[in-house]
């Protein structure tokens, strides 16, 4: 009886040691969350980059009422804060009637539109396919673009960054793919400036052509837009919270099904299966081009 007890105790000790070893080799099992882009315990750079992205979203919605109020009174300031389409058109229209110049409108668009873009490039360098899949959502747009990069080569990202403002998809997806594909930060910033100026130039031309009519519309937006923008923020927050709850329910159900079938934690396998392009193998997540340095250098 003592021998059997000793064997059982030794077996349990071996199982515990194997479990601890598994956790050491795969720390992501205790940290995995479908709402975050990294696997395993977060590093300092993970926290900094993700906090910056979260703050950029908060900044957009918090400043929306202010930007709406300024669009008909101080459109260049509104453009600097948010870089919105309506602000650029309004600022150019004000320039047409003698308040400001088009050069100022174009220059203000660069920081107004681009101020958070390098964060998304950095996210692509840090997290690669996971952040692309997260931003791509259920439509799997990120996987399709990763497949194109794999087929056409990394130079595909150069024109993609330039025309990103003109595409009917979130610019963040293009920017994280540029980082994932190994584009240098300086190259990314230069291409982003070119695309921003092209976009701002188009909107400025429209605003300048409309002139006084656009000014009248902008002033009406400033008068009534404050309450409309506040209501919009409330509606967006409601749907965002509901979407997050639904995501966590689906994730919990997937984990429960995986545990019942004995396959373990499904998070990494599901992400790869759901977002990998068919017939293609994406480049390594943390691959950097020759001579390139880390994003934080």
């Amino acid at each position: 009886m003592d021998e059997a007890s000793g064997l059982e105790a030794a077996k349990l000790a071996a199982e515990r040691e194997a479990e601890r070893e598994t956790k050491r080799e795969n720390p992501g099992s205790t940290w995995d969350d479908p709402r975050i882009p990294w696997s395993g315990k977060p590093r300092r750079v993970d926290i900094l980059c993700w906090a910056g992205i979260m703050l950029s979203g908060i900044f957009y919605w918090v400043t929306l009422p202010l930007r709406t109020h300024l669009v008909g009174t101080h459109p260049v300031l509104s453009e600097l804060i948010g870089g919105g389409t309506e602000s650029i058109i309004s600022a150019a229209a004000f320039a047409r009637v003698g308040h400001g110049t088009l050069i100022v409108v174009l220059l203000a668009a660069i920081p107004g539109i681009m101020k958070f873009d390098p964060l998304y490039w950095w996210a692509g360098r840090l997290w690669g396919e996971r952040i692309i899949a997260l931003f791509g959502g259920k439509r799997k747009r990120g996987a399709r673009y990763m497949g194109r990069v794999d087929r056409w080569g990394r130079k595909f990202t150069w024109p993609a960054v330039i025309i990103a403002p003109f595409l009917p998809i979130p610019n963040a997806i293009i920017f994280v793919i540029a980082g994932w594909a190994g584009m240098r930060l300086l190259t990314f910033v230069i291409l982003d400036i070119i695309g921003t100026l092209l976009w701002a130039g188009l909107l400025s031309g429209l605003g300048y052509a409309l002139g006084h009519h656009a000014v009248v519309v902008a002033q009406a937006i400033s008068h009534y837009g404050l309450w409309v923008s506040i209501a919009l923020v409330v509606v967006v927050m409601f749907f965002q919270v509901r979407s997050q709850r639904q995501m966590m329910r689906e994730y919990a159900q997937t984990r429960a099904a995986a545990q019942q079938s004995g396959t373990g934690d499904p998070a990494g396998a599901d992400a790869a299966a759901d977002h990998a392009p068919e017939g293609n193998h994406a480049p390594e997540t943390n691959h950097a081009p020759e001579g390139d340095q880390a994003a934080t250098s």
Side-chain angles (χ1 to χ4, degrees), residues 58-237:
I58 294 172
F59 178 86
Y60 176 85
W61 291 109
V62 168
T63 59
L64 179 60
L66 175 63
R67 289 184 284 114
T68 305
H69 178 69
L70 292 174
V71 73
T73 56
H74 300 82
V76 173
L77 181 56
S78 177
E79 183 185 0
L80 275 171
I81 295 173
T85 299
E86 69 289 343
S87 300
I88 299 173
I89 294 175
S90 176
F94 271 74
R96 171 69 181 273
V97 298
H99 299 283
T101 64
L102 287 179
I103 294 296
V104 172
V105 175
L106 291 175
L107 293 178
I110 296 175
I113 294 176
M114 288 181 52
K115 55 184 173 291
F116 296 119
D117 293 354
L119 278 174
Y120 296 99
W121 171 90
W122 190 22
R125 294 298 302 273
L126 287 175
W127 305 312
E129 297 176 17
R130 288 180 65 98
I131 187 66
I132 296 171
L134 184 63
F135 283 173
K138 293 183 178 180
R139 297 182 182 180
K140 302 181 181 179
R141 291 173 292 194
R144 292 199 297 269
Y145 288 107
M146 284 191 294
R148 292 176 187 175
V149 173
D150 191 41
R151 291 193 300 271
W152 300 342
R154 299 188 177 195
K155 295 300 183 182
F156 162 75
T157 58
W158 286 47
V161 172
I162 293 176
I163 65 173
F166 300 88
L167 299 177
I169 62 173
N171 292 348
I173 295 179
I174 301 297
F175 299 154
V176 297
I177 289 177
W180 165 76
M183 180 181 291
R184 296 173 184 269
L185 177 59
L186 179 60
T187 302
F188 171 78
V189 171
I190 293 174
L191 295 176
D192 198 13
I193 289 175
I194 295 173
T196 297
L197 289 176
L198 290 174
W199 176 247
L202 176 65
L203 297 179
S204 297
L206 176 60
Y208 197 83
L210 292 173
H212 178 71
H213 299 289
V215 172
V216 173
V217 173
Q219 291 172 341
I221 292 174
S222 292
H223 185 71
Y224 298 105
L226 177 62
W227 299 108
V228 173
S229 60
I230 292 175
L232 180 61
V233 170
V234 173
V235 171
V236 169
M237 289 180 62

Side-chain angles (χ1 to χ4, degrees), residues 20-73:
R20 285 194 293 267
E21 185 65 25
T22 300
K23 288 182 178 180
R24 283 194 294 268
E25 294 177 355
N26 185 24
S29 59
T30 58
W31 289 91
D32 247 338
D33 189 316
R35 298 169 296 180
I36 57 177
W38 60 80
S39 177
K41 188 175 181 178
R43 302 163 296 174
R44 181 177 298 179
V45 290
D46 294 327
I47 296 174
L48 287 175
C49 185
W50 192 240
I53 291 175
M54 293 295 100
L55 287 175
S56 71
I58 294 172
F59 178 86
Y60 176 85
W61 291 109
V62 168
T63 59
L64 179 60
L66 175 63
R67 289 184 284 114
T68 305
H69 178 69
L70 292 174
V71 73
T73 56

Side-chain angles (χ1 to χ4, degrees), residues 265-296:
D265 190 357
D270 283 352
D274 288 342
H275 300 289
E278 295 181 4
N280 289 287
H281 296 283
E284 291 293 330
T285 297
N286 293 321
H287 178 80
E290 294 182 3
D292 201 7
Q293 303 296 323
T296 55

Side-chain angles (χ1 to χ4, degrees), residues 237-254:
M237 289 180 62
F238 169 78
F239 283 104
Q240 184 67 22
V241 170
R242 191 175 73 169
S243 175
Q244 292 292 326
R245 289 180 176 177
Q246 181 180 358
M247 181 188 299
M248 291 308 299
R249 282 198 301 267
E250 293 175 353
Y251 182 68
Q253 292 171 359
T254 303

